[in-house]
Amino acid sequence: MQYDIIVVGCGISGATIAERCAMLLNKKVLILEKRDHIGGNCYDYYDTNGVLVSRYGAHLFHTNFEEVWEYINRFDSWNPYVHKVVASVDGKLVPVPVNITTVNLLLGTHIQNEAEMKEWLSTQVVPIANPKNSEESGLSRVGPKLYEALFKQYTQKQWDKSPTELAAAVLDRIPVRTNFDDRYFSDKYQAQPANGYTHFFERLLDHPNIHVSLNTDYFEYVKIHGSNTQVFFTGPIDQYFASVIGKKLEYRSIRFQFEQYNYPYFQSNSVVNYPNDHEYTRIVEYKHITRQTGNHTTISREFPTWEGEPYYPVLSENNLDLYAQFQKLAAQEEQKGVYFVGRLANYKYYNMDQAFKNALDTFARIFPNS
Amino acid sequence: MQYDIIVVGCGISGATIAERCAMLLNKKVLILEKRDHIGGNCYDYYDTNGVLVSRYGAHLFHTNFEEVWEYINRFDSWNPYVHKVVASVDGKLVPVPVNITTVNLLLGTHIQNEAEMKEWLSTQVVPIANPKNSEESGLSRVGPKLYEALFKQYTQKQWDKSPTELAAAVLDRIPVRTNFDDRYFSDKYQAQPANGYTHFFERLLDHPNIHVSLNTDYFEYVKIHGSNTQVFFTGPIDQYFASVIGKKLEYRSIRFQFEQYNYPYFQSNSVVNYPNDHEYTRIVEYKHITRQTGNHTTISREFPTWEGEPYYPVLSENNLDLYAQFQKLAAQEEQKGVYFVGRLANYKYYNMDQAFKNALDTFARIFPNS
């Protein structure tokens, strides 16, 4: 079979590009996937305990993009799911992000409404006009009590750096709610695929013009077959240009420690954060998210690490400078028909909906008349 | 020992009256309690599974009465606790009382804010100016979809009557929230006793002038000892006047089916309502409320019944007429120094804080110069 397009990577970005090219342009698409499964980091599977789990951590879909919501609903049905997270602090489980209940539970206040919450917050926050680091950002947004209880050590664990060494941006976006809304996300659309993510990807890729080759390294493939088609590359951009610039972009990763139990529930919530205790940052119990029933459960403890799969770009000056160099090379490469799409190719932390959006936008940009 | 005051019943009402009389008036108080424990229906204990459970169902303290909050904090410490309830409907767990998330989860809507929720509600509710029964009340407050999913059959199970046969008042007070607030109660103070209710009562009653006689029936006691002291009667008023009016006030009761498990959690929430499935109305898992840890859990399924302990007054015309007769007798009895205090003596469904308030108010009324 002769292919018109090669897509490197079969996660959200690759699968979406492939689907669009096959469906709208009737192109023959070959997806090369290094791993032994489709779906990228969304990949989920039934483990030996019979529980549907996500190999690369919980994935919670949420979006305000009508276009993305409409798109994902073409392929499979999605169940409404409203994600909530609690943090275990001083033996209490308090909702995250911070809202009135968080403060009342944690600090024994009796705040009753928005006006009182705003008043209380105003007595807490440290007035810092231009926070210079994450600590200053945290203090200026929630004040020292909440910062110490919920953010300081969590940030340290997550990034292996003191918040004083991290850019203000890291904590700049902590949502603080002055009402009782304890949803983790505020997006209009919040849902989980009714049959799991892997099944969703199977449906997304179910087109006669799309062929997926698993366990296939693109760079090895090119050595053998050459490359005379358009290429959509969704892998790490530093890997693509390794022969030009021998430096690596830094990523923070997570080691997932799965544990199986022969009883219905391990914990009361889908996600329990441990900001101050333990080496792991949180414990995820998938059944709360999938609403799977039965007498078995599987959890995963998440240990942040510098080893492993690339998850969180480390937005230091060094890395951003390096990425800028890669970006210049990428712009030149586009002239040869190689396009860089997605999280790893753009060195950005995309939420799932942003990854879909980025892929759809890239497709529209490259094929404006489709 | 010579007693100045006899208190009948050692629940909230009796214990509070006793404490006030002992502490403020230095009276010697004898509490006669028919059961083998203090605390009335608040009574909790560590079961054979090592789990702290409530023999007569979950008790969640909440109040807006500053006086009551101040009073209960004198005796033991209370941990902030914000109660949340979910209902199991069509395999989903949706928050109760109805709020935006309930509607979005149940009906697949994507309501984002108060304005949209109010707009949506206005398209649902059935305009009934003066609801004549519970069904009309429900329809006029939440519309047919939510009424059918959450209230219709739950009400039927709870009261063993069709909502069309029940007074509008039964569903008149369903809270409907147009925001994301999913707390079960909105009160300023929401807390649980740090060491359990029974321990709280032990502290409340810990006064040299208070003596508690368990397993003691007041009516038997009077036969033997007579009664020449003031009496605060907190038992069922129809029982007190049984020899005058031989009719009984109706109560709805609950049979609690306790089940012990050798694993951490049975369900994801403290209370899961089953409006449409099963004979029980709900399953309570106490560990979620007490925050007890450990590898054992105990739940109770609640089966509404006409047999058993008197819990919910049945506010039919017959019963209210009958209670009015008892009330007249009670007023006469007061002249002889017998006072009727609390839920059972007043044939009312008091929340815990209302019971404290009623006892404190009664004490202040009877002893105005204390």
Side-chain angles (χ1 to χ4, degrees):
Chain A
M1 191 166 175
Q2 193 58 41
Y3 295 101
D4 305 309
I5 287 170
I6 286 179
V7 172
V8 183
C10 195
I12 290 175
S13 306
T16 300
I17 289 283
E19 188 278 338
R20 292 288 75 192
C21 290
M23 180 63 87
L24 289 186
L25 308 176
N26 201 28
K27 301 264 192 195
K28 294 195 180 1
V29 184
L30 173 63
I31 303 181
L32 304 177
E33 170 57 57
K34 203 174 66 177
R35 293 170 171 170
D36 64 356
H37 60 75
I38 62 171
N41 288 348
C42 298
Y43 177 66
D44 54 15
Y45 62 101
Y46 287 89
D47 70 3
T48 56
N49 200 24
V51 177
L52 183 61
V53 299
S54 294
R55 181 170 298 173
Y56 309 94
H59 280 69
L60 291 314
F61 185 85
H62 56 99
T63 193
N64 282 322
F65 297 130
E66 296 287 344
E67 175 194 9
V68 171
W69 178 244
E70 189 275 317
Y71 181 72
I72 64 168
N73 274 279
R74 287 182 206 171
F75 307 102
D76 211 346
S77 56
W78 290 70
N79 290 335
Y81 171 78
V82 177
H83 190 51
K84 301 194 177 188
V85 172
V86 294
S88 172
V89 180
D90 302 336
K92 299 167 194 159
L93 294 180
V94 306
V96 174
V98 168
N99 60 72
I100 295 177
T101 299
T102 314
V103 176
N104 285 344
L105 286 178
L106 213 48
L107 303 173
T109 49
H110 301 283
I111 298 165
Q112 286 187 277
N113 52 48
E114 294 220 48
E116 289 179 15
M117 179 67 172
K118 285 176 181 165
E119 165 65 22
W120 181 86
L121 264 180
S122 75
T123 66
Q124 299 294 311
V125 296
V126 181
I128 302 172
N130 297 301
K132 280 182 287 294
N133 56 47
S134 270
E135 176 153 305
E136 290 192 4
S137 172
L139 292 173
S140 73
R141 287 188 60 76
V142 298
K145 286 179 191 166
L146 294 177
Y147 170 70
E148 300 275 343
L150 293 169
F151 299 108
K152 186 176 183 173
Q153 294 178 75
Y154 192 92
T155 307
Q156 169 82 45
K157 275 201 270 188
Q158 170 76 17
W159 293 103
D160 194 23
K161 284 204 176 85
S162 159
T164 55
E165 300 171 77
L166 285 166
V170 174
L171 288 187
D172 256 1
R173 285 177 305 176
I174 309 172
V176 180
R177 304 231 179 91
T178 52
N179 53 25
F180 290 97
D181 183 0
D182 65 352
R183 296 172 303 155
Y184 198 67
F185 307 112
S186 318
D187 299 48
K188 177 168 181 181
Y189 302 105
Q190 307 189 27
Q192 291 295 94
N195 308 295
Y197 281 97
T198 302
H199 186 270
F200 167 82
F201 276 90
E202 284 168 2
R203 300 285 298 269
L204 180 68
L205 296 164
D206 182 19
H207 190 286
N209 284 1
I210 300 176
H211 182 76
V212 181
S213 178
L214 297 177
N215 302 304
T216 309
D217 183 279
Y218 168 68
F219 304 104
E220 298 297 321
Y221 177 92
V222 170
K223 279 184 205 162
I224 297 160
H225 303 276
S227 171
N228 54 2
T229 68
Q230 283 180 307
V231 172
F232 288 85
F233 185 84
T234 75
I237 194 166
D238 53 358
Q239 210 174 319
Y240 188 91
F241 292 113
S243 63
V244 188
I245 302 178
K247 290 181 191 167
K248 284 190 172 175
L249 291 165
E250 272 184 308
Y251 279 96
R252 192 75 173 142
S253 189
I254 294 174
R255 177 172 64 83
F256 299 97
Q257 178 177 305
F258 286 92
E259 296 169 20
Q260 303 182 343
Y261 294 97
N262 294 322
Y263 48 69
Y265 294 106
F266 176 86
Q267 63 190 19
S268 57
N269 293 67
S270 56
V271 176
V272 179
N273 286 354
Y274 289 88
N276 308 317
D277 310 315
H278 310 297
E279 303 245 317
Y280 44 86
T281 48
R282 53 187 188 175
I283 299 179
V284 175
E285 185 167 22
Y286 296 95
K287 281 177 74 184
H288 292 291
I289 298 168
T290 58
R291 301 287 327 131
Q292 190 180 349
T293 54
N295 289 317
H296 298 265
T297 191
T298 302
I299 61 152
S300 72
R301 297 179 208 260
E302 301 194 356
F303 297 83
T305 163
W306 290 111
E307 312 286 306
E309 299 290 326
Y311 292 136
Y312 304 104
V314 179
L315 304 176
S316 67
E317 217 167 303
N318 274 351
N319 286 322
L320 292 174
D321 286 350
L322 182 55
Y323 173 62
Q325 297 179 46
F326 287 125
Q327 241 181 330
K328 278 183 204 154
L329 296 173
Q332 293 162 20
E333 205 72 3
E334 268 210 8
Q335 308 306 316
K336 307 181 210 161
V338 179
Y339 309 102
F340 295 83
V341 198
R343 221 166 45 81
L344 295 170
N346 287 297
Y347 198 54
K348 288 207 170 55
Y349 185 82
Y350 286 147
N351 290 324
M352 283 187 282
D353 66 326
Q354 296 170 312
F356 279 110
K357 185 78 163 66
N358 176 248
L360 293 171
D361 288 351
T362 302
F363 175 82
R365 179 170 68 81
I366 308 300
F367 304 108
N369 302 316
S370 60
Chain B
M1 191 168 176
Q2 193 59 39
Y3 295 101
D4 304 309
I5 286 172
I6 286 178
V7 171
V8 183
C10 195
I12 290 175
S13 307
T16 301
I17 290 282
E19 189 277 339
R20 292 288 75 193
C21 290
M23 180 63 86
L24 289 186
L25 309 176
N26 201 27
K27 301 265 191 193
K28 295 193 177 3
V29 184
L30 174 63
I31 303 181
L32 304 177
E33 171 55 58
K34 204 174 67 177
R35 292 170 171 171
D36 63 358
H37 60 76
I38 62 172
N41 289 349
C42 299
Y43 177 67
D44 54 15
Y45 62 101
Y46 287 88
D47 69 4
T48 55
N49 201 25
V51 177
L52 183 61
V53 299
S54 294
R55 179 169 297 171
Y56 310 95
H59 281 68
L60 291 314
F61 186 84
H62 55 100
T63 192
N64 283 321
F65 297 130
E66 296 287 344
E67 174 194 8
V68 170
W69 179 244
E70 189 275 317
Y71 181 71
I72 65 168
N73 275 280
R74 287 183 206 173
F75 307 102
D76 211 347
S77 56
W78 290 69
N79 290 335
Y81 172 78
V82 177
H83 191 51
K84 301 194 178 189
V85 172
V86 295
S88 172
V89 180
D90 302 337
K92 298 167 194 159
L93 294 181
V94 305
V96 174
V98 168
N99 60 73
I100 294 177
T101 299
T102 314
V103 175
N104 284 345
L105 286 178
L106 212 49
L107 304 173
T109 49
H110 301 284
I111 298 165
Q112 286 187 277
N113 53 48
E114 294 220 48
E116 289 179 17
M117 178 67 173
K118 285 176 181 165
E119 166 63 23
W120 181 86
L121 263 179
S122 75
T123 67
Q124 299 294 312
V125 297
V126 181
I128 302 172
N130 297 302
K132 281 184 287 293
N133 57 48
S134 270
E135 176 152 307
E136 290 192 4
S137 171
L139 292 173
S140 73
R141 288 188 59 77
V142 297
K145 286 178 190 166
L146 294 177
Y147 170 70
E148 301 274 344
L150 292 169
F151 299 109
K152 186 176 182 174
Q153 293 178 76
Y154 192 92
T155 307
Q156 168 82 46
K157 275 202 269 189
Q158 171 76 17
W159 293 103
D160 193 23
K161 285 203 175 86
S162 160
T164 55
E165 300 171 77
L166 286 166
V170 174
L171 287 188
D172 257 359
R173 285 176 304 174
I174 310 172
V176 180
R177 305 233 179 88
T178 52
N179 53 25
F180 290 98
D181 184 0
D182 65 351
R183 296 173 303 156
Y184 198 68
F185 306 112
S186 319
D187 299 48
K188 176 168 182 181
Y189 302 105
Q190 306 189 28
Q192 292 293 95
N195 308 295
Y197 282 97
T198 302
H199 187 270
F200 167 83
F201 276 90
E202 284 167 1
R203 300 284 298 268
L204 181 69
L205 296 164
D206 182 20
H207 189 286
N209 284 1
I210 299 177
H211 183 78
V212 181
S213 178
L214 297 176
N215 302 304
T216 308
D217 184 279
Y218 168 69
F219 304 105
E220 297 298 321
Y221 177 92
V222 169
K223 277 184 205 161
I224 296 161
H225 301 275
S227 170
N228 53 3
T229 69
Q230 283 180 307
V231 172
F232 288 85
F233 185 85
T234 75
I237 195 167
D238 54 357
Q239 209 174 320
Y240 188 91
F241 292 113
S243 63
V244 189
I245 301 177
K247 290 179 189 167
K248 284 189 171 174
L249 291 164
E250 272 183 307
Y251 279 96
R252 191 74 173 145
S253 189
I254 294 175
R255 177 172 65 82
F256 298 97
Q257 180 178 303
F258 285 92
E259 296 169 19
Q260 302 181 344
Y261 294 97
N262 294 323
Y263 48 69
Y265 293 107
F266 176 86
Q267 63 190 18
S268 58
N269 293 68
S270 57
V271 176
V272 179
N273 286 353
Y274 290 89
N276 308 316
D277 310 314
H278 310 297
E279 303 247 316
Y280 46 85
T281 47
R282 54 187 188 176
I283 298 179
V284 175
E285 185 167 21
Y286 296 94
K287 280 177 75 182
H288 292 291
I289 298 168
T290 58
R291 301 286 328 131
Q292 191 181 347
T293 53
N295 288 317
H296 297 264
T297 191
T298 302
I299 62 153
S300 71
R301 297 179 207 262
E302 301 194 355
F303 296 84
T305 163
W306 289 111
E307 313 286 305
E309 298 290 326
Y311 291 135
Y312 305 104
V314 179
L315 304 176
S316 66
E317 216 166 306
N318 274 350
N319 285 322
L320 292 174
D321 285 352
L322 181 56
Y323 172 61
Q325 297 178 46
F326 286 126
Q327 242 181 328
K328 278 181 204 155
L329 295 173
Q332 292 162 23
E333 206 72 2
E334 268 209 8
Q335 309 305 316
K336 304 182 210 160
V338 180
Y339 309 102
F340 295 83
V341 198
R343 221 166 45 82
L344 295 169
N346 288 297
Y347 199 54
K348 289 209 172 53
Y349 185 81
Y350 284 146
N351 290 325
M352 282 187 283
D353 67 326
Q354 295 169 314
F356 279 110
K357 184 78 163 69
N358 176 250
L360 293 171
D361 288 351
T362 303
F363 175 81
R365 180 172 67 81
I366 308 301
F367 304 109
N369 303 317
S370 60

